[in-house]
Each structure stands twice: as structure tokens, then as C-alpha cells.
């Protein structure tokens, strides 16, 4: 079933699918385009072509068809007041970071706000009916068009008009009626100007008719009536029919203003300011024909550069006009658009990075910087952010709260880009041919080099039109998790005792058992989920290995023989383990909120892991944590513990919880059930969470951060312990640091002693040396140093075995004496701790025959150790202190040989 087939079928029966009361009442005629055969409805009897093929396409540029002029802010106020007047609830926009859907990073349409995925089904949850919402949507597929085409944005406001046809809502007739009145009454557009084109919509197993409405070739909105499911030969009406009318607010503003581009009327005062700042002469007599041509040509050519070339040719612009007006204007538009998108995304907690949705944000920031460099535009990004937020907060007051955070993130990210320039230059200088699209993707993916940078460096002249679409495909949707299929059909949901009385011992009936798996009618064993590790314990006599949840059924994996189905088994939960895990789980919430308060609003839980004796929390943050930040986070966490704040758990309807607490509740990811369990620590931290928690923060006792690490771009891991584990950790750390302190003290003392001894040796050696050299014959002993002159004909021997002297002394004295007497052999033996050491010097003359090294080797052996050295100096030692005299005798005999 494809769209074309559905359209053919529906258009064959317009009475049933497209004709609405309005068409009857106003006398709309149904026509078929004489170029493309598309069916459309019009009040203009001369109109024979659909909006895509009409002559008046884009003729509103320079000549708006409305009696009123509204900019972006005012346009929303008009739309809002119209729908509110017509019994709609106006709700605030949802975040642009789509936390409630697993398959989307960013909110791409207003209807996404209300879609919740449950299993493989998408359900709709409306906080009001009917409603209207100014939903900021992010789309990155057409990035290369932004700034160039006059109407493409990386983010835009989708006016969402949504209704469920029940006692409060309405269906097709009322919807089209409202949209028509909005255009004619509120915006003052002549009835004849409005064309409705027949179309269809199909997706996620359902489909329906739609009516797109156009004014002068510009599609302003599309009312989709999601009505059927099944296939074309056999379909039935959905239980929950939905009106999904999405209209582009930027286009509403544009059609009333008739400016050359939509950019000129949608960003507020910043556009004129930057145009002036850049010195661009934005003469509308040049711009109006040029951008009208661009708009018309966009439908004709696939390739944007072709569109541009053609428009230049048709309007006869000179190179001078291109280079000094069009090109810099495109740059200004791009910069403003991209910054606006970054303002929304960062405010809603996304960070530029090289993973996930962060990719798109980083690429936009790099496009901004490259564009400024290429065009030599010197803009102050902080100022642009300020002026934009000042303007945007008329519609989105919440952006005021994150003004400084947006500036901080953009400044960090810009700095990072600047510092990677040198590396990028090197890579680019090695490119030997013009890169293809695949090469461009690789260059960006592996080196962060954007095509804008290559353009800036004159490596490429145009960015291939498929680049951003391809990149976006790679990064738009998140990977779906694999689900293991177990034979659980017909098994009822497990009663979860841990959400109630949470007993440590209980009896339960075996509903199903197979392989090593057991399903009970009720369980107090917590199943692995939300980063919380499963409980341990026993089912009967069997140890539990793992516990997983499949839908609402808890499956226990056990060791040994599985119990028979129908049997009642007694179960015991390992309470100590559970308590440890529970403390760690509450601690992750405490650390999360502490980290946000210390670091900034962009901190979200990225993922978490809670075991019995340790845990970790990965948060979104742009840089590695400093020691100071870690200390502050730990202090903030422990002060929450000290304040003894009750941890409250309540169940809410999901929609109510979202409206009451906002999307901050989705720290742990998507909640796939209608009723959410809200865990709140006062008003400090409120999260949707299915885990086990202590009842008061004081139960956690203490939190200790043991390690932090930047684990990927934009994500920091905080490893910590809590409760008794934290106490033990602190105690051990204290012991470690005490013994380390002791060791260091000893080392220091030893060092001081050596300095002292060196000083002493320096003073005493000359005196003792003098006394020894004054001895003229025989054997003399001075201060425990013995000198034996003429041991043999040629050799004098000086030695000491006194422990009064140390290595410093012996080395000093030996050297002095041997220098004075080339016939001398000097030997110092002394005890040092458990060991005995020896130092030998040999005078010049003797060293020709007797080696100090040989002597030390021999003595060391006697002493039960080893040693060695050169001919003139050697040292060694051993452990046998009783062999001192033997050692001296040995030296004597060696030198006598
Ligand atoms: Zn047509
Ligand atoms: Zn949690």
C-alpha cells in the first residue's frame, strides 16, 4: 500500500473523503490540475492549476495578500487567540529533545508531543481536547537549504491543531472550517486565494485523507485525518481517530509580511542588526525577484546549486551583487537560524557532541563558525543569543531560565572547534582529490571536519545536496533494543510485592517453568531494570541467578531443578543485597540533582547502574569534572542526606505527571506504561522511576564519590558508594592516608638525617684523615678507625668495623685517603638495619693489581650477600653480622697475595 494508491482510491470518492461542509456552504469547486491532474478545491473560477503549477506561485513576495502584517511573535498571538476563542486549550510547547520516545532524539512534529509508544503500538495522550500548541520542531535533513532557499529552517514552529472527535472535540467539517476562518478572518486573506489540495497520509499502520491548504503557492498547513487501519482492500475505522493539523508559523508570518525571505520576518530584530553589522546593502529591488525565482525553481530542480544558478541567470544579478549581497545574506540567515535551533536544543538539555542527537548540534555550531570565517563576519555570538532570546521569550518565556547556560555551552564548543583547527588543517592539506559525498561523511564522522570548513578552505566549492540527508539518516533515530522472546503467551501479569509490603520472605505459586526459568503469580524479587541490578535469593532450595521483566511478567532464572507448574514455593529475598542496592538507587537520584545544581541545567542522567556495594551514574556534561566540582557535588549530595528529606512515591497518570512536573521526570528514559511512578525527594528531585528507594534521605547515611571519568563526548561517569559501603570506603581511605602519611614522615626524617650526616662527615673527615696520615708506622687506631702501614711491601691498609660510621662517611674518607696515598686500600664495614654493608676504595697504584670490585665480591660472599664495582671503588654487603672479622681478615689476605 503506498500513498499514491490511497490517494487514487480516496480521490475517486471525494464525496466521502474530501467534501466538507465548508466547501458546500461557500461553493468551492473541485478541479483537477491541468498539468499534474492533482485534485484541488477553490473558489477562484479561473484557477485551472494546482498551487505547485500556478502562475501566482510565490507572488506574495513583495505583495502580500493579507490585509494585516504580523511578524513571528504576533502571528502566534493571532493563531492562539483565534483557537482559544474557538474553545481550544492553548498548551505550552513540549521539549525539542524528545525524552518520551525511544526512537527519536528530537521532536519533529507537533503530533509527536502526544504520541507514546507502548510495545509496538503508538497511543495518543492529549492533555486537552481540542488543543493548539506552538511546537518547536527540529529537522536536520535539509540543512544545506537553510539560509539559501528563503523558507527552510533547521527548527521551526509547527502550529499544532489537534482534536479527537468525541463530545469535546470535532472532526473534518469543523477542522477545515476553523482553518479557513483563521486565514480569512484572523489573517485577512481573501477567500479566493485559498486552495485546498487533496492528499493522504499513511504511517505506523494507520492512514487517512488530508487537505493541504495553500495561498499563492505557499503551503501554509496540512490537516491530516488519521482515520483508518488495515490495507486498502480491507480497512476499518480506528477506535481513536485523530486530527493532526500542522501549519508552519514562519510561513504565516511570511505570507502576511511579503518579505523577500521568511527569515526576514521570523527572527526579530537580530536579522537587521546583523545585516547592518556585516555592511550588506539589502536592496529589496534585488532581493524580491531573486528569492521569488529561488522559490519557484526549488520545485523544478533537485540540485540546490542548479536552483541558485538559474535564479541568478533569470534575474541577471552581477557577480558583484552575488558576492556582496546574496552570499553574505545567506550566511547571516544561516547563522541566525542555527543559533535559534541551538538555543532551543541546549535549553532543553541537549549538548553538542559526536554521538546521538548531539551530532546535529555540533555540526550546526561548526557551520556557524565556518560561515563566519569564510565570509569574514565578526559577530558576537553571546550578543546574538541575547537578542534572540529577548525576542523568542515573547512566545517562549522559559528560554530566559537557560540564557546563560546556552552561552556557556556555545562558548565551550566554539573554543573546542577553534583548538582543533590545526589538526584539521593538516588533514585537509593531505587531501589529494576533491572528496565525494562518502569521503565527506567519513571526514566528518572521524575527524569532525564539516563540508563548510572545506568550503572555507576552498577544498570544495559546493556542498553536495545529499550530504546532510545522509548524515541525518545515520544519526536521526536511535537503535531499538533487541527483545528476547520467551514462551510467555497466556501468562498473567505478575503481582509485584516490592511495590507494596515488600516482604523478605513469601510463598508464591509457580505459573510457568521452563528451561531454567520460573514465573510466579507474585514476587518480591526486583527484576533487572532502570539500571537497578536484580535481587538475589532463593526460590525453594534454588539460588536465583537473574531476574528479568517481560512486559508485566517477571521471569526468574534459577540454578538447579525448576519447580513444577502449579506448585507453591517459599521464597527468600537476600535482604542485605537489596538494602545496599536500594540505598545506591536513591543515591543516584541525589547525585543527579546535586550535579545539576553544581554544573548546570544541561545535566541529565545518561544512564545508571546500581549494585549492592557500588554504583555509577553517567550524566550529560561537556567536560571532565574538576576536583573542585567533584567535592562540591559530594557536599551537595551529603547535605541532602543531612537534611533528612522524605522520599515520596506516588502513582500518576502519565499525562498528568508530565503536565505537573514537566519532562525532567524522564531521567531514566521512556516510561512505557500509562501510569507512572513518581519518586520525589522534596522538590529537589522528581523522577519517573520504577526502582526501590529508601523512605528518607537520611537512610543513605553517606555518599562518597570514588572516581569520575569522561567516558564519551558529552558524558561523564560518576562512580560512588553509599551507606555502610561509603563509611567503609571513607575508613579505608583514612587508614590508607594515615599509613601513607607515616611512611612519608619516615622518609622525610631519613632525608633530614642524611643531610645532617653529610654535614657531619664533611666536618669530621678532614680532621680524621689528617690524624691518620700523621701515623708514620705500624698499627694505629684513631676514633675506631685502624690503619696498618706496610701490611706488605707495597700496601697500606685502613679499615673500620664501627657502626658509628655510615656510607656517606666511608665514601668520603676512603676517597680522601686513597687520593693522598696511592698505596692504600680502604675498607669500611658497618651495620645498617638488618644488613651489613661494605665499602672499599683502592689507591691508584694498588688498583693496577688489586681490584676493589673483586675485593667487595669476595667479602660480600663471606657476609652472605653480593656486591661489586670498579677497580678503584666498590660496594656490597650481606646479612651475617658475625662475619665482620672474617671479612677484614679476608681483605688482608687478598692484598697480601
Ligand atoms: Zn499541478
Ligand atoms: Zn531511579
Amino acid at each position: 500500500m503506498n500513498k499514491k494508491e490511497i490517494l487514487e482510491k480516496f480521490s475517486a470518492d471525494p464525496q466521502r473523503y474530501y467534501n466538507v461542509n465548508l466547501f458546500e456552504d461557500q461553493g468551492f469547486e473541485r478541479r483537477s490540475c491541468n498539468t499534474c491532474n492533482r485534485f484541488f478545491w477553490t473558489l477562484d473560477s479561473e484557477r485551472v492549476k494546482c498551487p505547485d503549477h500556478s502562475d501566482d506561485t510565490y507572488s506574495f513576495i513583495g505583495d502580500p495578500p493579507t490585509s494585516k502584517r504580523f511578524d513571528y511573535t504576533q502571528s502566534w498571538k493571532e493563531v492562539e487567540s483565534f483557537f482559544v476563542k474557538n474553545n481550544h486549550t492553548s498548551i505550552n510547547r513540549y521539549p525539542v529533545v524528545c525524552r518520551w520516545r525511544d526512537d527519536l532524539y528530537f521532536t519533529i512534529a507537533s503530533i509527536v508531543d502526544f504520541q507514546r509508544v507502548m510495545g509496538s503500538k503508538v497511543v495518543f495522550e492529549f492533555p486537552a481536547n481540542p488543543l493548539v500548541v506552538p511546537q518547536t520542531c527540529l529537522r536536520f535533513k535539509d540543512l544545506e537549504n537553510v539560509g539559501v532557499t528563503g523558507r527552510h529552517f533547521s527548527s521551526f514552529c509547527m502550529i499544532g491543531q489537534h482534536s479527537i472527535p468525541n463530545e469535546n472535540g470535532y472532526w473534518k467539517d469543523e477542522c477545515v472550517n476553523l482553518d479557513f476562518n483563521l486565514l480569512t478572518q484572523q489573517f485577512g486573506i481573501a477567500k479566493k486565494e485559498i486552495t485546498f489540495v487533496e492528499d493522504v497520509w499513511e504511517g505506523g499502520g494507520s492512514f487517512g485523507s488530508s487537505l493541504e491548504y495553500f495561498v499563492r503557492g505557499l503551503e501554509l498547513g496540512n490537516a491530516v485525518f488519521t482515520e483508518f487501519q488495515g490495507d486498502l482492500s480491507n480497512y476499518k475505522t480506528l477506535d481513536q481517530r485523530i486530527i493532526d493539523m500542522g501549519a508552519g508559523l514562519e510561513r504565516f508570518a511570511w505570507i502576511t509580511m511579503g518579505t523577500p525571505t521568511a527569515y526576514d520576518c521570523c527572527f526579530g530584530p537580530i536579522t537587521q542588526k546583523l545585516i547592518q553589522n556585516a555592511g550588506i546593502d539589502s536592496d529589496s529591488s534585488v532581493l524580491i525577484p531573486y528569492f521569488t525565482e529561488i522559490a519557484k525553481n526549488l520545485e523544478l530542480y533537485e540540485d540546490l546549486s542548479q536552483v541558485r544558478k538559474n535564479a541568478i541567470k533569470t534575474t541577471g544579478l552581477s557577480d558583484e551583487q552575488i558576492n556582496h549581497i546574496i552570499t553574505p545574506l545567506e550566511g547571516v540567515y544561516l547563522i541566525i537560524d542555527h543559533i535559534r535551533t541551538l538555543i532551543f536544543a541546549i535549553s532543553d538539555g541537549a549538548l553538542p557532541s559526536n554521538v546521538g542527537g548531539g551530532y546535529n548540534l555540533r555540526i550546526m555550531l561548526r557551520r556557524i563558525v565556518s560561515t563566519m570565517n569564510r565570509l569574514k563576519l565578526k559577530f558576537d555570538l553571546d550578543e546574538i543569543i541575547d537578542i534572540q532570546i529577548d525576542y523568542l521569550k515573547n512566545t517562549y518565556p522559559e528560554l530566559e531560565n537557560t540564557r546563560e547556560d546556552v552561552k556557556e555551552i556555545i562558548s565551550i564548543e566554539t573554543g573546542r572547534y577553534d583548538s582543533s583547527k590545526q589538526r584539521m588543517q593538516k588533514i585537509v592539506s593531505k587531501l589529494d582529490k576533491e572528496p565525494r559525498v562518502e569521503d565527506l561523511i567519513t571526514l566528518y564522522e572521524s575527524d569532525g571536519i564539516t563540508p563548510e570548513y572545506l568550503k572555507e578552505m576552498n577544498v570544495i566549492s559546493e556542498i553536495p545536496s545529499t550530504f546532510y540527508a545522509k548524515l541525518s539518516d545515520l544519526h536521526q533515530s536511535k537503535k531499538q533494543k533487541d527483545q528476547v522472546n520467551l514462551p510467555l503467551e497466556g501468562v498473567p501479569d505478575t503481582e509485584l510485592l516490592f511495590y507494596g509490603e515488600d516482604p523478605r520472605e513469601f510463598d508464591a505459586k509457580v505459573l510457568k517453568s521452563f528451561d531454567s526459568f520460573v514465573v510466579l503469580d507474585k514476587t518480591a524479587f526486583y527484576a533487572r531494570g532502570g539500571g537497578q541490578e536484580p535481587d538475589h535469593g532463593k526460590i525453594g532450595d534454588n539460588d536465583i541467578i537473574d531476574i528479568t521483566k517481560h512486559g508485566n511478567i517477571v521471569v526468574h532464572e534459577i540454578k538447579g531443578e525448576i519447580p513444577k507448574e502449579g506448585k507453591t514455593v517459599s521464597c527468600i529475598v537476600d535482604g542485605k543485597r537489596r538494602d545496599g542496592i536500594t540505598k545506591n538507587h536513591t543515591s543516584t537520584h541525589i547525585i543527579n540533582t546535586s550535579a545539576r545544581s553544581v554544573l548546570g541545567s544541561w545535566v541529565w542522567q545518561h544512564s545508571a547502574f546500581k549494585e549492592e556495594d557500588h554504583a555509577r551514574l553517567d550524566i550529560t556534561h561537556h567536560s571532565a569534572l574538576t576536583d573542585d566540582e567533584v567535592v562540591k557535588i559530594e557536599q551537595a549530595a551529603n547535605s541532602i542526606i543531612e537534611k533528612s528529606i522524605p522520599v515520596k512515591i506516588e502513582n500518576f497518570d502519565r499525562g498528568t505527571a508530565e503536565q505537573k512536573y514537566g519532562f525532567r521526570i524522564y531521567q531514566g528514559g521512556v516510561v512505557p506504561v500509562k501510569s507512572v511512578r513518581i519518586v520525589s525527594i522534596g522538590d529537589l528531585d522528581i523522577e519517573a522511576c520504577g526502582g526501590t528507594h529508601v523512605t528518607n534521605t537520611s537512610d543513605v547515611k553517606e555518599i562518597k564519590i570514588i572516581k569520575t571519568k569522561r567516558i564519551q563526548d558529552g558524558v561523564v561517569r560518576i562512580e560512588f558508594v553509599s551507606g555502610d559501603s561509603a563509611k567503609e570506603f571513607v575508613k579505608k581511605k583514612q587508614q590508607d592516608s594515615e599509613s601513607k602519611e607515616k611512611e612519608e614522615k619516615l622518609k622525610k626524617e631519613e632525608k633530614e638525617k642524611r643531610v645532617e650526616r653529610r654535614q657531619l662527615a664533611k666536618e669530621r673527615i678532614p680532621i680524621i684523615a689528617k690524624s691518620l696520615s700523621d701515623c708514620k708506622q705500624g698499627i694505629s687506631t684513631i676514633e675506631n678507625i685502624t690503619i696498618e702501614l706496610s701490611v706488605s711491601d707495597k700496601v697500606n691498609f685502613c679499615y673500620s668495623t664501627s657502626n658509628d660510621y655510615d656510607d656517606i662517611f666511608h665514601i668520603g674518607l676512603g676517597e680522601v685517603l686513597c687520593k693522598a696515598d696511592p698505596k692504600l686500600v680502604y675498607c669500611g664495614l658497618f651495620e645498617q638495619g638488618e644488613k651489613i654493608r661494605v665499602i672499599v676504595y683502592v689507591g691508584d697504584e694498588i688498583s693496577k693489581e688489586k681490584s676493589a670490585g673483586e675485593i667487595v665480591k669476595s667479602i660480600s660472599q663471606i657476609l652472605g650477600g653480593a656486591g661489586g664495582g670498579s677497580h678503584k671503588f666498590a660496594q656490597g654487603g650481606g646479612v651475617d653480622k658475625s662475619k665482620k672479622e672474617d671479612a677484614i681478615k679476608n681483605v688482608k689476605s687478598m692484598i697480601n697475595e
Side-chain angles (χ1 to χ4, degrees):
M1 187 173 70
N2 62 35
K3 273 187 69 174
K4 211 175 142 225
E5 287 167 9
I6 307 172
L7 182 58
E8 246 164 52
K9 185 170 176 110
F10 285 4
S11 282
D13 189 357
Q15 205 51 35
R16 175 170 176 199
Y17 294 102
Y18 294 108
N19 198 5
V20 288
N21 286 346
L22 177 89
F23 295 168
E24 299 274 333
D25 298 347
Q26 296 282 338
F28 270 82
E29 276 181 60
R30 183 174 186 257
R31 298 244 168 89
S32 166
C33 171
N34 68 12
T35 304
C36 70
N37 298 326
R38 250 341 237 291
F39 289 99
F40 60 91
W41 299 74
T42 179
L43 287 168
D44 183 350
S45 55
E46 275 157 37
R47 193 174 287 279
V48 289
K49 289 178 196 287
C50 78
D52 279 351
H53 300 108
S54 293
D55 295 333
D56 65 350
T57 291
Y58 288 89
S59 63
F60 66 88
I61 297 180
D63 176 24
T66 62
S67 53
K68 299 166 187 169
R69 305 277 172 271
F70 303 128
D71 72 344
Y72 175 83
T73 302
Q74 194 56 37
S75 287
W76 169 247
K77 301 253 180 274
E78 297 295 326
V79 172
E80 183 183 38
S81 78
F82 173 82
F83 280 109
V84 168
K85 203 162 59 193
N86 284 285
N87 302 319
H88 289 64
T89 305
S90 172
I91 62 165
N92 292 334
R93 77 172 172 100
Y94 280 41
V96 298
V97 182
C98 192
R99 312 253 176 209
W100 58 97
R101 286 271 299 264
D102 244 345
D103 53 342
L104 289 175
Y105 288 119
F106 297 109
T107 308
I108 53 169
S110 60
I111 192 69
V112 169
D113 294 355
F114 318 110
Q115 289 173 334
R116 299 293 176 274
V117 179
M118 296 177 78
S120 57
K121 254 181 82 181
V122 173
V123 298
F124 292 90
E125 288 177 7
F126 285 75
N129 181 35
L131 64 81
V132 63
V133 58
Q135 182 56 45
T136 310
C137 300
L138 269 50
R139 291 186 187 176
F140 302 105
K141 272 198 188 301
D142 302 317
L143 276 193
E144 77 277 5
N145 287 344
V146 175
V148 180
T149 64
R151 62 174 156 99
H152 283 89
F153 294 85
S154 59
S155 64
F156 64 99
C157 171
M158 187 183 277
I159 302 163
Q161 171 200 358
H162 301 285
S163 163
I164 299 169
N166 57 17
E167 64 281 9
N168 301 316
Y170 51 80
W171 193 234
K172 288 183 193 178
D173 287 327
E174 177 66 9
C175 177
V176 179
N177 211 27
L178 284 165
D179 294 340
F180 184 73
N181 289 340
L182 172 69
L183 297 180
T184 53
Q185 294 167 11
Q186 200 82 16
F187 281 80
I189 296 173
K191 293 177 181 180
K192 263 169 79 175
E193 296 273 11
I194 301 163
T195 309
F196 289 92
V197 176
E198 294 182 4
D199 203 357
V200 295
W201 179 88
E202 181 268 316
S206 46
F207 59 98
S209 59
S210 76
L211 282 166
E212 296 172 329
Y213 52 94
F214 289 77
V215 174
R216 301 234 190 132
L218 184 68
E219 183 189 342
L220 290 175
N222 185 13
V224 171
F225 307 103
T226 309
E227 192 173 5
F228 305 112
Q229 63 180 17
D231 58 58
L232 268 189
S233 56
N234 178 25
Y235 55 90
K236 60 174 186 129
T237 305
L238 288 161
D239 299 337
Q240 198 183 23
R241 289 181 299 162
I242 296 261
I243 289 181
D244 171 18
M245 199 298 293
L249 181 67
E250 280 80 358
R251 293 180 175 197
F252 271 68
W254 193 20
I255 201 117
T256 77
M257 301 292 274
T259 46
T261 72
Y263 314 127
D264 297 302
C265 57
C266 289
F267 296 125
I270 188 66
T271 315
Q272 267 316 308
K273 185 169 168 76
L274 293 192
I275 287 174
Q276 270 169 20
N277 194 329
I280 304 167
D281 169 23
S282 57
D283 175 0
S284 60
S285 68
V286 173
L287 300 182
I288 288 173
Y290 174 76
F291 281 106
T292 308
E293 272 311 305
I294 286 278
K296 285 184 170 174
N297 277 290
L298 264 178
E299 310 297 334
L300 306 177
Y301 303 97
E302 282 274 304
D303 187 359
L304 186 62
S305 64
Q306 193 56 46
V307 171
R308 207 171 172 272
K309 268 182 212 143
N310 230 52
I312 293 168
K313 209 174 123 197
T314 319
T315 47
L317 291 191
S318 66
D319 284 354
E320 168 77 13
Q321 285 169 314
I322 299 299
N323 295 336
H324 290 99
I325 302 174
I326 303 297
T327 304
L329 256 188
E330 289 169 342
V332 166
Y333 295 147
L334 178 149
I335 291 164
I336 304 173
D337 166 273
H338 285 17
I339 289 187
R340 185 171 78 168
T341 300
L342 288 168
I343 288 172
F344 279 107
I346 295 169
S347 289
D348 290 351
L351 288 176
S353 74
N354 60 17
V355 286
Y359 247 96
N360 299 300
L361 306 185
R362 173 161 289 168
I363 243 205
M364 285 209 296
L365 201 106
R366 297 188 167 195
R367 276 166 62 90
I368 293 170
V369 177
S370 288
T371 302
M372 289 205 295
N373 292 343
R374 178 168 52 87
L375 300 173
K376 306 198 168 45
L377 299 170
K378 293 211 163 22
F379 294 152
D380 177 350
L381 295 185
D382 277 1
E383 193 189 7
I384 301 179
I385 295 165
D386 274 331
I387 298 174
Q388 293 222 58
I389 290 181
D390 286 344
Y391 183 68
L392 285 168
K393 72 179 187 188
N394 294 317
T395 313
Y396 305 108
E398 69 279 7
L399 295 176
E400 183 59 52
N401 305 331
T402 41
R403 186 191 285 262
E404 296 311 315
D405 288 348
V406 171
K407 287 188 206 166
E408 185 176 340
I409 297 296
I410 287 187
S411 139
I412 289 170
E413 185 67 15
T414 316
R416 268 195 195 137
Y417 182 47
D418 284 341
S419 63
S420 65
K421 279 264 171 80
Q422 221 175 357
R423 185 182 53 82
M424 293 186 350
Q425 250 160 25
K426 224 173 174 177
I427 297 168
V428 169
S429 69
K430 283 185 191 148
L431 294 174
D432 48 5
K433 58 178 184 343
E434 173 140 350
R436 296 162 305 151
V437 181
E438 292 71 32
D439 304 325
L440 292 177
I441 301 257
T442 314
L443 275 169
Y444 184 68
E445 297 267 307
S446 45
D447 299 303
I449 298 174
T450 58
E452 279 73 19
Y453 179 72
L454 296 174
K455 210 170 148 187
E456 180 192 331
M457 303 299 288
N458 284 318
V459 177
I460 56 172
S461 52
E462 294 294 340
I463 298 163
S465 54
T466 48
F467 176 80
Y468 286 108
K470 280 196 176 163
L471 194 70
S472 180
D473 280 345
L474 282 171
H475 295 282
Q476 182 140 43
S477 52
K478 302 177 192 179
K479 204 172 163 270
Q480 295 286 334
K481 285 175 225 148
D482 298 331
Q483 260 283 3
V484 199
N485 272 323
L486 293 177
L488 296 171
E489 226 159 282
V491 178
D493 292 353
T494 312
E495 187 190 336
L496 305 175
L497 301 174
F498 48 82
Y499 284 156
E501 271 180 37
D502 197 14
R504 291 293 181 259
E505 291 180 26
F506 63 98
D507 288 343
K509 197 171 143 194
V510 179
L511 296 183
K512 191 155 180 93
S513 58
F514 54 96
D515 301 334
S516 53
F517 302 107
V518 181
V519 181
L520 304 171
D521 62 340
K522 54 178 181 278
T523 189
F525 294 112
Y526 186 86
R528 181 191 303 284
Q532 178 168 339
E533 286 294 281
D535 280 339
H536 286 173
K538 277 181 186 300
I539 292 180
D541 293 329
N542 300 311
D543 285 329
I544 293 176
I545 305 170
D546 197 8
I547 308 165
T548 48
K549 222 173 150 193
H550 300 258
N552 293 320
I553 303 164
V554 175
V555 178
H556 311 78
E557 186 178 358
I558 60 167
K559 240 193 249 176
E561 205 176 315
I562 51 172
K564 284 204 174 65
E565 288 173 11
K567 209 182 143 189
T568 297
V569 284
S570 53
C571 307
I572 302 169
V573 180
D574 178 344
K576 184 172 164 283
R577 173 179 165 83
R578 162 71 82 72
D579 290 345
I581 292 176
T582 297
K583 277 183 191 133
N584 280 335
H585 197 144
T586 305
S587 302
T588 56
H589 289 216
I590 294 174
I591 293 179
N592 194 17
T593 190
S594 303
R596 189 178 319 120
S597 71
V598 171
L599 301 172
S601 66
W602 54 81
V603 170
W604 282 71
Q605 174 176 312
H606 177 265
S607 59
F609 177 83
K610 305 107 184 176
E611 244 295 354
E612 177 181 352
D613 53 357
H614 67 282
R616 59 173 187 258
L617 171 70
D618 296 345
I619 55 166
T620 53
H621 183 56
H622 49 72
S623 310
L625 300 184
T626 64
D627 291 346
D628 185 47
E629 285 164 343
V630 173
V631 168
K632 280 188 179 147
I633 294 169
E634 197 177 270
Q635 278 170 352
N638 283 306
S639 91
I640 292 174
I641 293 171
E642 275 158 32
K643 282 184 193 134
S644 301
I645 302 168
V647 180
K648 213 166 68 186
I649 293 173
E650 291 166 291
N651 285 295
F652 288 97
D653 169 70
R654 180 166 48 195
T656 311
E658 287 171 359
Q659 294 298 314
K660 191 170 158 82
Y661 299 117
F663 289 85
R664 277 261 178 234
I665 59 172
Y666 294 133
Q667 293 289 330
V670 173
V671 175
V673 286
K674 265 194 101 84
S675 165
V676 293
R677 190 167 175 265
I678 295 290
V679 177
S680 45
I681 300 173
D683 53 7
L684 288 176
D685 185 78
I686 297 161
E687 297 184 27
C689 173
T692 60
H693 288 275
V694 299
T695 53
N696 188 295
T697 57
S698 62
D699 298 342
V700 173
K701 292 182 191 160
E702 186 169 2
I703 286 174
K704 192 79 206 159
I705 295 174
I706 30 185
K707 201 172 141 195
T708 70
K709 194 181 166 202
R710 188 163 181 238
I711 54 164
Q712 71 179 51
D713 202 6
V715 179
V716 173
R717 170 162 295 173
I718 300 175
E719 291 180 39
F720 65 92
V721 285
S722 74
D724 291 335
S725 303
K727 293 231 178 294
E728 272 163 38
F729 180 83
V730 173
K731 207 167 124 197
K732 187 162 179 296
K733 208 163 171 199
Q734 201 165 354
Q735 282 168 351
D736 283 355
S737 86
E738 270 168 23
S739 67
K740 205 174 159 196
E741 214 171 278
K742 229 184 208 166
E743 215 172 90
E744 257 159 29
K745 201 174 151 207
L746 275 175
K747 255 192 203 155
K748 201 174 152 218
E749 279 173 6
E750 184 63 24
K751 209 172 154 191
E752 281 167 4
K753 260 190 209 156
R754 279 184 83 83
V755 171
E756 231 170 74
R757 292 201 323 254
R758 194 159 286 163
Q759 187 55 33
L760 198 71
K762 214 168 140 191
E763 287 162 13
R764 290 185 66 194
I765 286 169
I767 300 165
I768 294 173
K770 170 99 181 32
S771 306
L772 288 169
S773 55
D774 284 348
C775 301
K776 291 298 175 220
Q777 53 179 304
I779 302 170
S780 323
T781 298
I782 295 158
E783 301 211 33
N784 284 329
I785 300 166
T786 304
I787 187 153
E788 281 188 52
L789 296 168
S790 303
V791 178
S792 70
D793 295 348
K794 303 174 243 170
V795 187
N796 298 322
F797 184 39
C798 180
Y799 67 93
S800 167
T801 56
S802 164
N803 291 331
D804 292 349
Y805 304 115
D806 63 2
D807 50 345
I808 295 167
F809 179 84
H810 286 304
I811 290 170
L813 183 64
E815 193 182 358
V816 169
L817 292 177
C818 286
K819 218 174 235 171
D821 178 4
K823 287 183 176 176
L824 187 74
V825 171
Y826 180 88
C827 176
L829 270 169
F830 59 99
E831 290 172 22
Q832 195 176 55
E834 297 299 300
K835 291 193 172 123
I836 176 156
R837 290 189 58 193
V838 57
I839 284 163
V840 171
Y841 259 102
V842 174
D844 267 356
E845 214 166 284
I846 307 296
S847 72
K848 285 169 193 154
E849 287 167 33
K850 311 282 178 196
S851 156
E854 290 299 318
I855 295 170
V856 164
K857 223 179 191 173
S858 173
I859 315 177
S860 298
Q861 241 167 31
I862 293 171
L863 298 169
S870 70
H871 274 255
K872 289 184 184 168
F873 171 74
Q875 54 182 330
V879 288
D880 195 346
K881 291 178 184 172
S882 67
K883 293 278 166 59
K884 270 191 205 171
E885 294 310 319
D886 292 352
I888 294 298
K889 268 185 207 153
N890 181 261
V891 182
K892 254 173 148 174
S893 74
M894 277 179 88
I895 59 181
N896 258 328
E897 274 168 10

